[in-house]
Amino acid sequence: MLRGVLGKAFRLAGYTIQYGCIAHCAFEYVGGVVMCSGPSMEPTIQNSDIVFAENLSRHFYAIQRGDIVIAKSPSDPKSNICKRVIGLEGDKILTTSPSDIFKNRS
């Protein structure tokens, strides 16, 4: 009797570990649910909206203008921020007046 109970317990533990590994890989490499914070994407995405983020396109396709990317907030690493891509590497920026956008923030 004890052997049967232990066998079932070990099988349950094995299945739990297997499904946990599958869920981890799915959320890490395929996509997951993310809560974005900040008003910068309004009205498309509101503050504290929950979105499904897929991770496959960053491996198979290049990021393009208009895409929405999710990143860790530099001020609070526990929260995520959502931003729309408006420029890519190599783009030229035309300004009409001097700006301090590109000054080093030390």
Side-chain angles (χ1 to χ4, degrees), residues 61-73:
Y61 307 104
I63 294 175
Q64 300 174 358
R65 276 182 205 84
D67 289 349
I68 296 175
V69 295
I70 298 172
K72 294 287 180 197
S73 171

Side-chain angles (χ1 to χ4, degrees), residues 3-19:
R3 177 179 255 171
V5 171
L6 283 177
K8 287 182 182 181
F10 282 127
R11 263 184 280 158
L12 178 63
Y15 289 139
T16 303
I17 291 171
Q18 286 176 352
Y19 290 126

Side-chain angles (χ1 to χ4, degrees), residues 62-69 83-94 102:
I63 294 175
Q64 300 174 358
R65 276 182 205 84
D67 289 349
I68 296 175
V69 295
K83 298 292 181 186
R84 185 177 307 277
V85 176
I86 59 169
L88 298 170
E89 181 180 359
D91 286 353
K92 295 188 182 203
I93 299 174
L94 178 64
F102 300 105

Side-chain angles (χ1 to χ4, degrees), residues 24-83:
H24 168 73
C25 289
F27 285 120
E28 186 71 25
Y29 299 108
V30 177
V33 178
V34 177
M35 182 167 46
C36 293
S37 61
S40 66
M41 284 296 298
E42 289 180 356
T44 307
I45 299 173
Q46 302 292 324
N47 187 24
S48 299
D49 271 358
I50 297 174
V51 297
F52 179 76
E54 57 86 18
N55 297 336
L56 293 175
S57 62
R58 69 178 175 154
H59 296 293
F60 296 114
Y61 307 104
I63 294 175
Q64 300 174 358
R65 276 182 205 84
D67 289 349
I68 296 175
V69 295
I70 298 172
K72 294 287 180 197
S73 171
S75 59
D76 180 16
K78 293 181 181 178
S79 66
N80 296 305
I81 54 174
C82 300
K83 298 292 181 186

